[in-house]
Amino acid sequence: MSSAPSAASTAPSTVELSAAPDRATAAERAEQLFVESFGYAPDGVWSAPGRVNIIGEHVDYQDGLCLPMAISHRCFAAAARTPTDRLRVRSAQSGTTLDIDARELTPETVSGWPAYVAGVLWALGPRISGASTRGMDIMIDGQVPLGAGLSSSAALECAAAEAIEALLTLGTGPLDRVRAAITAETDFAGASTGGLDQSASVLAREGHALLLDCRDFSTRAVPWDLASQGLALLITDTRAEHSHVDGEYTARRADSERAARTLGLATLRDADPDRLESLLARIDDEVVRRRAHHVITEIGRVEEVDALLAAGSVRSQVAEIGALLNASHDSLREDYEVTVPQLDVAVDAARAAGAHGARMTGGGFGGSTIALVEAEQAQRVAEAIAAAFAEHGFDAPEFFLALPSEGAGQDR
Ligand code: GLA
């Protein structure tokens, strides 16, 4: 990959680091939008955040460990129960609406973004008593940037799950809602993802990262309060076209499953990292071998970051954590092959501009990168990335500062 150009000449003079809108104001807006659209007041407003994954990429579907955090951008759902069986869903961001008999939901009946809402009601269907109506009106106001790899669809599903639970009193716990959101995505919307995004959106805690064990979806909050330590996580939305993303994602999953089968393991989580070389030697296919190398070493890197954070603060361990973020990206670039030039250029430029570590985050093939930086240098690093993009002739990226935020819940 080309090395980052110096932050000199082409840096646009006004690189903006945007923050999410204030949560209380945004919730009030969602309520207002509901009133304007449906003509009466909602029963409440619920919301769920987008996420970045700090480390542990492309391991969730191999029962691995991930370390995501929720970001401050959220999806809001203002909603009311109605004495009918109609599910009506509208959104401030899209002209597409849904108006359907909620008793007749099947994966074939709904397409586009409303499937992520309807799918949750469908997934929770077995919990709804036959005698009760399941009609509701929902107004969605999504503020997680779309197509940026920050899990706007998981935020939508999880906001819907909170609203549906509150309106129908189904007795679900947070993990049930995570599972309903995953089912909505995989079985209703038809995107075969691994559960990282929904877990982060529901279970994340403010000021913390979430250590997620995808074997059983158990979690532990890990202190990750960057702001109080003079650090920041800079998100760069590369705005690279996601081309062939679904097919490539499915192909990577298939490669990793093949690796596990070859090794006689249920998943690569069961691989003993101390026997890495001898295990890899048993995989003839060179590509599949590299895929396994990524998954097994990436799970090890999450364990290392967790151990570092148990032994000290992010500040005291920042060099080691940064090196692990860098190693994660390099593995995703070389072994897993899910990066695109924009992701690599953003990462290289951030490192050259002094980031402690930088990597792509999420599924790859476009989307966003994260850089762990000194808070006072965030602007400078962003400008260096913008300059590198201009020099490569890429579309201008967008920048956000990510604060570790609270998972899904009720706002009003
Ligand atoms: C996407 C999927 C997740 C996970 C990541 C890669 O975000 O939705 O389930 O597999 O890619 O870590």
Side-chain angles (χ1 to χ4, degrees), residues 308-334:
L308 286 165
L309 290 171
S313 63
V314 193
R315 164 57 70 198
S316 69
Q317 313 282 32
V318 74
E320 291 82 356
I321 294 172
L324 288 161
L325 300 187
N326 288 341
S328 168
H329 183 84
D330 297 347
S331 177
L332 288 156
R333 168 160 56 189
E334 280 140 37

Side-chain angles (χ1 to χ4, degrees), residues 221-394:
V222 177
W224 184 257
D225 185 4
L226 301 181
S228 70
Q229 299 173 45
L231 294 163
L233 203 64
L234 174 70
I235 302 179
T236 304
D237 173 7
T238 66
R239 302 176 71 207
E241 285 277 320
H242 282 232
S243 52
H244 311 301
V245 52
D246 292 348
E248 294 287 357
Y249 185 92
T250 308
R252 292 305 177 281
R253 256 189 107 133
D255 286 348
S256 66
E257 282 158 15
R258 204 169 134 205
R261 263 200 316 277
T262 306
L263 297 175
L265 302 171
T267 64
L268 292 176
R269 174 68 182 282
D270 297 332
D272 178 357
D274 294 336
R275 294 178 46 230
L276 180 65
E277 293 311 324
S278 67
L279 287 172
L280 293 178
R282 287 167 46 198
I283 304 175
D284 291 334
D285 186 306
E286 192 266 333
V287 171
V288 175
R289 196 184 317 131
R290 281 191 285 120
R291 305 292 191 245
H293 185 262
H294 166 74
V295 175
I296 298 168
T297 58
E298 182 76 354
I299 294 170
R301 282 185 285 272
V302 178
E303 283 173 335
E304 281 186 69
V305 171
D306 182 41
L308 286 165
L309 290 171
S313 63
V314 193
R315 164 57 70 198
S316 69
Q317 313 282 32
V318 74
E320 291 82 356
I321 294 172
L324 288 161
L325 300 187
N326 288 341
S328 168
H329 183 84
D330 297 347
S331 177
L332 288 156
R333 168 160 56 189
E334 280 140 37
D335 283 343
Y336 224 61
E337 297 179 284
V338 293
T339 69
V340 292
Q342 285 90 335
L343 291 168
D344 295 329
V345 166
V347 162
D348 289 344
R351 290 178 189 170
H356 293 292
R359 59 180 294 275
M360 56 155 274
T361 188
F365 305 106
S368 294
T369 63
I370 52 170
L372 181 58
V373 297
E374 293 297 317
E376 62 194 19
Q377 289 183 15
Q379 181 75 31
R380 202 171 63 76
V381 174
E383 282 167 9
I385 296 171
F389 269 51
E391 216 152 287
H392 282 82
F394 298 154

Side-chain angles (χ1 to χ4, degrees), residues 40 43 80-88 100-103 121 128 132-138 167-168:
Y40 65 98
D43 295 343
R81 187 165 186 187
T82 59
T84 68
D85 277 305
R86 301 295 307 172
L87 169 65
R88 298 196 295 174
I100 194 169
D101 188 325
R103 291 164 305 183
L121 185 57
I128 305 173
S132 76
T133 60
R134 46 186 79 188
M136 57 187 76
D137 289 339
I138 305 182
L167 296 182
L168 301 183

